[in-house]
Amino acid sequence: MRDYKLGEVTLNYDNQRVPLSEKERKKIPGVYRYYGAQEVVDYIDKYIFDGEYILVAEDGNNLISKKKPLCTLVTGKFWVNNHAHIIKANEKADTKYLYYLLNKINVKGYITGSAQPKLNQENLNKIKLKLPEKSIQEEIANKIFFLDKKIALNFKQLEKLDEYLYLLYYKWFIDFNFPNVHGKAYKEHGGELKEIEGKKLPPGWTISNLSSLGEIVSGGTPSRANQDYFDSNGIAWITPKDLAISRYKYIKKGETSITELGLKNSSANLLPKGTILMSSRAPIGYLAIAKNDVTTNQGFKSIVPKDSIGTEFVYYTLKRLGTKIENIGTGSTFKEVSKEMLSRLSVILPTTDVLNQFQVTTNPLSKKIQLLEDETDFIIESRELLIKKLIL
């Protein structure tokens, strides 16, 4: 291992950055990514860079909070504004290896400003590194990058599976093309529709309210003053923040857990596996399905679905009603949806046989999503262990 400063092993392309205002970008919409400090902020029809580069955030609160990675590895054609440094390795280093290393080392000592944190180019170049021979860097980086590609592929598959289930829900319960007795699309093959409360529905279907789908349950927070109420290995306790940072449909735990004592001495409720968790404030509308027994804080109105209704039907009903639910929120400091408001929301209630058929149809796909999420979690953990072992 040899000691270097980042500027000694990289090429810097900051002088090629060109910031574009939102007004300017609207004039040239396209397919090329336009990057800000941390991520893609737009798509335009031009690009400046083509290849493999590291984007390092130059400014922003994330330099202090570290809620997102410091660096982004970017390949292909793209544009960068002046909120991210753009670098790549020179002949002494491997670009991917530097990307993994920079996202793990502490750069706090190189950041200036508190109100407006900044990592200027001079300090960026001063960041101290320990690097093995370039061939070893490449070997290590390729192992980790293989896992990154698998993780990205899994997330794409998860997205596609969820999209398919939502389209299936829409086909069955909005377009009324659920399978008829002959296995054909009901409405497309002449299925009868009757007018019920101003809507044309299949026979036996009704207009009901959201509370008819299951029990709506609120959450709570044990007193922070009592340490006996919290335990890192206790009962899963979910907050809206946990849903905000999760890319999964299912959730089994949050950043914090509570004890049996904390549950007993608070308004939190133990929710069974299959409950649909919906954030009811700050913000409204985040959704997840409980993978096991969980509790939530008071920022939720969760629905424990009736057995005859099923988890997937309730989940996608809430997803479809997302905008309407957000619009009925009230409050001055932040909007919130009450249990009473949700209870009164109008929903279509299909017949039990159609709902049962939907559960039977969707269950294998739901299980596949859960297995794929588990696999992705395992790969992410393996990736982190590999970085810790081989790079840090």
Side-chain angles (χ1 to χ4, degrees):
M1 301 285 278
R2 285 189 57 186
D3 293 325
Y4 291 98
K5 291 182 179 178
L6 185 62
E8 297 173 338
V9 295
T10 57
L11 303 172
N12 189 292
Y13 298 88
D14 285 1
N15 62 351
Q16 295 183 31
R17 301 176 302 180
V18 180
L20 296 175
S21 67
E22 185 177 357
K23 185 177 180 180
E24 289 173 316
R25 299 198 303 271
K26 283 184 176 179
K27 293 178 181 178
I28 52 171
V31 298
Y32 300 115
R33 295 157 290 169
Y34 178 88
Y35 280 91
Q38 301 291 154
E39 56 198 10
V40 175
V41 295
D42 212 341
Y43 290 87
I44 59 177
D45 70 352
K46 298 179 181 179
Y47 64 91
I48 299 174
F49 301 98
D50 185 5
E52 183 177 72
Y53 297 85
I54 302 170
L55 304 187
V56 186
E58 181 172 349
D59 49 38
N61 290 328
N62 189 66
L63 290 173
I64 303 298
S65 67
K66 298 179 181 178
K67 291 180 179 179
K68 297 179 181 180
L70 173 70
C71 305
T72 305
L73 183 67
V74 183
T75 58
K77 298 179 174 67
F78 60 96
W79 192 295
V80 184
N81 68 17
N82 58 351
H83 293 289
H85 299 292
I86 179 162
I87 61 174
K88 69 189 313 181
N90 62 20
E91 70 282 354
K92 298 176 183 177
D94 177 77
T95 297
K96 289 187 181 73
Y97 186 93
L98 291 179
Y99 159 71
Y100 294 123
L101 179 58
L102 286 171
N103 271 332
K104 291 300 178 182
I105 63 176
N106 188 351
V107 298
K108 184 178 179 181
Y110 303 96
I111 297 168
T112 59
S114 53
Q116 295 293 332
K118 188 176 181 68
L119 177 60
N120 60 42
Q121 186 182 125
E122 181 182 357
N123 285 346
L124 176 72
N125 288 332
K126 290 179 181 177
I127 294 175
K128 294 179 180 180
L129 310 170
K130 286 185 178 293
L131 299 177
E133 292 295 326
K134 185 177 179 180
S135 59
I136 297 175
Q137 293 179 47
E138 291 171 343
E139 182 181 352
I140 292 171
N142 286 337
K143 289 179 180 178
I144 301 169
F145 190 62
F146 173 80
L147 296 181
D148 279 347
K149 289 192 291 184
K150 177 57 178 170
I151 291 166
L153 178 62
N154 279 12
F155 277 122
K156 284 184 179 179
Q157 288 181 304
L158 287 168
E159 185 179 340
K160 293 295 183 185
L161 285 167
D162 186 55
E163 286 177 0
Y164 176 78
L165 283 171
Y166 191 35
L167 287 172
L168 195 65
Y169 168 90
Y170 204 93
K171 178 181 178 181
W172 283 40
F173 304 113
I174 308 302
D175 293 337
F176 309 130
N177 278 317
F178 53 91
N180 62 18
V181 292
H182 304 293
K184 305 292 185 181
Y186 181 82
K187 185 179 176 182
E188 285 182 2
H189 288 79
E192 180 187 4
L193 297 178
K194 292 183 177 181
E195 190 163 320
I196 301 172
E197 297 184 32
K199 292 182 180 291
K200 288 188 174 182
L201 302 175
W205 291 37
T206 60
I207 303 295
S208 188
N209 50 49
L210 194 62
S211 61
S212 67
L213 305 185
E215 182 185 3
I216 301 175
V217 183
S218 299
T221 301
S223 172
R224 295 281 187 180
N226 192 329
Q227 295 182 354
D228 292 335
Y229 291 169
F230 294 90
D231 183 348
S232 59
N233 295 313
I235 304 166
W237 184 68
I238 314 298
T239 69
K241 179 184 175 184
D242 295 317
L243 267 59
I245 62 177
S246 173
R247 295 179 65 182
Y248 294 145
K249 180 178 179 180
Y250 293 84
I251 191 164
K252 57 185 176 182
K253 63 180 180 178
E255 288 186 345
T256 307
S257 298
I258 62 174
T259 62
E260 290 283 354
L261 195 62
L263 175 62
K264 183 179 178 180
N265 289 280
S266 73
S267 55
N269 291 284
L270 191 62
L271 303 168
K273 175 183 177 180
T275 298
I276 298 86
L277 314 181
M278 188 192 77
S279 63
S280 55
R281 67 179 188 181
I284 296 169
Y286 285 153
L287 293 173
I289 298 173
K291 201 168 186 178
N292 41 254
D293 291 354
V294 303
T295 62
T296 72
N297 74 356
Q298 61 274 21
F300 284 86
K301 296 294 179 290
S302 302
I303 298 183
V304 183
K306 294 178 179 177
D307 291 340
S308 59
I309 302 295
T311 293
E312 294 295 337
F313 179 79
V314 178
Y315 178 85
Y316 289 110
T317 296
L318 289 174
K319 186 172 183 176
R320 189 177 73 85
L321 293 174
T323 302
K324 184 179 288 187
I325 293 172
E326 187 175 357
N327 288 339
I328 64 173
T330 59
S332 54
T333 306
F334 49 78
K335 283 188 173 185
E336 181 171 6
V337 178
S338 70
K339 182 176 180 179
E340 290 71 25
M341 292 173 182
L342 279 177
S343 297
R344 294 194 296 265
L345 273 179
S346 176
V347 297
I348 293 174
L349 187 60
T351 55
T352 301
D353 62 320
V354 173
L355 287 169
N356 287 339
Q357 194 174 1
F358 187 68
Q359 288 192 61
V360 170
T361 303
T362 58
N363 275 347
L365 294 173
S366 299
K367 288 178 181 177
K368 186 173 183 179
I369 289 174
Q370 293 180 61
L371 289 171
L372 198 55
E373 288 182 355
D374 287 342
E375 179 186 271
T376 306
D377 264 346
F378 177 77
I379 297 171
I380 290 173
E381 289 174 9
S382 300
R383 175 192 186 275
E384 293 304 305
L385 287 172
L386 199 60
I387 290 174
K388 190 172 182 179
K389 180 180 178 181
L390 299 179
I391 290 185
L392 297 181

